[in-house]
Amino acid sequence: AGGSIETILKRVHNYTEMNISQMGKEEKKTRTGYKDRQKKEAFVQMNHVGDALSLHQAVLQRAKELFSGFRDDRELLQQFKGVIAACLCEAF
């Protein structure tokens, strides 16, 4: 009913990855795994914009670095698409 053993193991692995950064911590902070997932999504969107606008790879790389630093610094990220746009503009 829960799917194949591979699917179950993948879910357990993902759950563990998402929560391992919280082990031994009392305060409630944004999980590292969640932040990393947001970064990956931002990078995908940046690549689409970069392709559409023919941006140089160096611009995309700098934008990704800016986004990563900003995301690591914040517990809550508001205006996800706006932050992506701002990082691309700053990198350009």
Side-chain angles (χ1 to χ4, degrees):
S4 69
I5 188 70
E6 291 86 4
T7 303
I8 293 167
L9 288 173
K10 186 169 175 61
R11 279 194 207 128
V12 169
H13 172 76
N14 288 339
Y15 179 81
T16 304
E17 287 287 313
M18 291 290 287
N19 291 293
I20 200 156
S21 65
Q22 290 305 102
M23 287 180 64
K25 293 184 180 179
E26 292 299 318
E27 70 272 7
K28 187 171 180 155
K29 290 192 173 181
T30 306
R31 291 185 309 262
T32 303
Y34 180 76
K35 288 182 177 183
D36 289 345
R37 210 170 59 224
Q38 268 194 328
K39 288 182 209 173
K40 287 178 187 173
E41 175 59 28
F43 296 170
V44 167
Q45 291 189 25
M46 286 179 179
N47 287 333
H48 289 311
V49 171
D51 289 344
L53 299 177
S54 300
L55 296 178
H56 193 278
Q57 282 301 314
V59 172
L60 287 175
Q61 183 60 39
R62 180 65 182 135
K64 291 174 184 179
E65 291 168 4
L66 289 168
F67 184 90
S68 289
F70 186 81
R71 185 62 193 106
D72 287 342
D73 190 53
R74 303 295 161 116
E75 282 305 313
L76 178 64
L77 180 65
Q78 297 177 332
Q79 300 294 325
F80 181 70
K81 290 181 180 179
V83 173
I84 292 171
C87 290
L88 286 165
C89 289
E90 180 66 24
F92 189 77

